């Protein structure tokens, strides 16, 4: 198997970082070598120096870059991830939203939704919320991995996606599929739509509707500070005043922006875009 020199790793990191923000850290070198080895072989390239030049300069480089991104970016996700935060969302954020929304429609964005478990979880939690009965819920999941989006649209999952669900949740929200797999029930699938979006593309994000809530969990951790700042700026543009931003438990906005206020709810800390009165 070809080995990556430190310089080749740096050049590959640069290509990936400017394409999607992902920082290929030094300690991921072996993983990158292993996952990309079949691509070198398929393309008949002898080493990673040639591979990164292929990504940059070959007419098919853009296509290959999408494959490399699919192979290298972590897509780990599962239903009902971070239950404490989800309880806060259900018990404290939704009632506030229901009280001050204009009309009876809520727009929710799962940014970096991977294979769909997060936006479907939100559909399950919101669809059954007593204060949202009769509301129009528009839940959008976006990702830059076409592979992840195609799994999301298919809405069929194996046991690992269900690792944090209870038997009651499995019975209520899923139908049995073949080979021990499950399928999201049509009612919960229907209100979720998916779209391709690179979070670095601020102009693309501006085409989305104004959001009441943005979930962006376990995505910013893979970016450098400057990229985080840009992505969070795009979130602040997309979020309506008084709307909420929920990040992963190891993520925060310290020293990134002053556009959000930190709100201490009884179960968790969340970010809110302040109202300008
Ligand atoms: C670890 S998963 C997190 C999934 C889900 N939010 C969760 O917390 O369970 C990170 C996702 O972010 C996506 N991602 C990474 N960089 C992105 C970018 N620049 N634009 C859009 N999606 C991106 C990856 O493709 C991956 O599906």
């Amino acid at each position: 198997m070809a080995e990556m020199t430190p310089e080749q790793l740096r050049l590959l990191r640069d290509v990936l970082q400017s394409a999607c923000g992902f920082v290929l850290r030094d300690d991921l070198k072996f993983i990158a070598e292993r996952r990309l080895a079949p691509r070198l072989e398929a393309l008949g390239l002898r080493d990673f120096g040639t591979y990164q030049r292929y990504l940059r300069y070959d007419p098919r480089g853009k296509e290959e870059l999408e494959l490399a991104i699919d192979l290298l970016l972590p897509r780990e996700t599962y239903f009902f991830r971070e239950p404490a935060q989800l309880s806060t969302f259900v018990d404290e954020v939704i009632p506030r939203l229901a009280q001050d929304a204009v009309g009876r429609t809520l727009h929710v964005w799962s940014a970096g939704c991977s294979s769909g478990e997060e936006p479907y979880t939100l559909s399950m939690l919101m669809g059954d919320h007593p204060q949202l009965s009769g509301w129009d819920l528009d839940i959008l999941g976006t990702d830059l991995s076409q592979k992840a989006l195609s799994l999301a649209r298919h809405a069929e999952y194996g046991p690992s996606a269900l690792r944090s669900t209870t038997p009651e949740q499995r019975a209520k929200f899923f139908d049995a599929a073949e080979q021990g797999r499950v399928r999201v029930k049509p009612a919960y699938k229907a209100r979720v739509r998916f779209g391709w979006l690179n979070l670095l593309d601020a102009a693309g994000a501006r085409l989305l509707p104004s959001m009441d809530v943005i979930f962006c969990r376990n995505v910013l951790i893979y970016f450098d500070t400057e990229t985080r700042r840009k992505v969070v700026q795009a979130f602040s543009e997309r979020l309506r005043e008084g709307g909420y931003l929920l990040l992963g438990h190891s993520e925060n906005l310290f020293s990134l922006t002053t556009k959000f206020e930190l709100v201490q709810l009884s179960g968790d800390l969340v970010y809110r875009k302040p109202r300008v009165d």
Side-chain angles (χ1 to χ4, degrees):
M1 194 173 79
E3 263 193 47
M4 224 182 268
T5 65
E7 178 64 359
Q8 288 165 352
L9 179 69
R10 190 184 65 74
L11 290 166
L12 182 60
R13 178 184 304 136
D14 288 352
V15 184
L16 290 167
Q17 210 169 337
S18 57
C20 67
F22 177 64
V23 180
L24 184 65
R25 300 186 319 262
D26 289 351
D27 60 301
L28 297 175
K29 176 175 112 73
F30 296 110
I31 293 179
E33 283 171 352
R34 207 180 53 234
R35 293 196 184 162
L36 293 177
R39 295 308 308 149
L40 264 65
E41 205 179 313
L43 296 167
L45 303 174
R46 66 175 186 284
D47 59 31
F48 284 105
T50 337
Y51 185 67
Q52 71 78 23
R53 280 195 292 282
Y54 183 94
L55 292 175
R56 281 171 204 259
Y57 307 119
D58 194 277
R60 287 151 300 171
K62 206 165 163 260
E63 227 171 277
E64 181 60 30
L65 185 55
E66 274 186 32
L67 281 179
I69 287 174
D70 257 347
L71 289 166
L72 296 175
L73 264 60
R75 290 207 306 264
E76 161 82 354
T77 184
Y78 45 91
F79 285 94
F80 295 93
R81 185 175 195 175
E82 298 181 30
Q85 182 186 42
L86 294 177
S87 299
T88 303
F89 177 62
V90 168
D91 299 337
E92 300 185 73
V93 175
I94 292 181
R96 285 170 166 79
L97 287 169
Q99 209 167 40
D100 68 9
V102 184
R104 287 164 72 84
T105 301
L106 285 181
H107 294 281
V108 179
W109 178 17
S110 163
C113 67
S114 190
S115 34
E117 289 87 331
E118 181 175 272
Y120 286 135
T121 298
L122 300 177
S123 169
M124 293 162 184
L125 293 172
M126 298 178 76
D128 283 356
H129 199 288
Q131 279 174 276
L132 296 180
S133 163
W135 283 56
D136 188 10
L137 305 176
D138 173 36
I139 301 169
L140 171 69
T142 65
D143 205 280
L144 94 170
S145 164
Q146 290 289 10
K147 201 171 180 174
L149 290 170
S150 131
L151 291 168
R153 290 188 179 106
H154 195 52
E156 209 181 283
Y157 299 93
S160 119
L162 301 174
R163 75 187 88 147
S164 181
T165 55
T166 61
E168 293 72 32
Q169 287 168 332
R170 290 199 286 280
K172 186 168 181 194
F173 300 127
F174 300 93
D175 289 322
E178 276 165 34
Q179 294 175 334
R181 294 170 66 77
V182 297
R183 192 172 305 116
V184 176
K185 284 196 175 170
Y188 301 102
K189 185 168 184 274
R191 59 175 83 88
V192 183
R193 59 200 172 95
F194 292 96
W196 186 91
L197 181 75
N198 186 340
L199 291 172
L200 269 52
D201 175 12
R206 274 183 211 116
L207 300 175
L208 303 180
S210 168
M211 297 291 168
D212 296 283
V213 188
I214 300 175
F215 274 78
C216 184
R217 307 191 301 170
N218 309 297
V219 179
L220 298 179
I221 32 165
Y222 300 108
F223 298 161
D224 67 11
T225 306
E226 205 34 53
T227 309
R228 284 179 197 158
R229 206 166 269 144
K230 284 188 193 143
V231 172
V232 166
Q233 169 63 30
F235 290 160
S236 104
E237 287 176 25
R238 264 320 76 221
L239 207 55
R240 69 154 168 90
E241 285 176 18
Y244 290 84
L245 171 65
L246 284 90
L247 303 177
H249 72 272
S250 56
E251 296 164 316
N252 61 63
L253 299 182
F254 294 139
S255 74
L256 286 185
T257 178
T258 52
K259 305 231 172 198
F260 293 86
E261 57 194 7
L262 191 57
V263 185
Q264 171 80 65
L265 300 176
S266 66
D268 202 0
L269 291 168
V270 295
Y271 289 99
R272 185 173 56 199
K273 179 168 167 176
R275 291 179 185 286
V276 183
D277 294 317

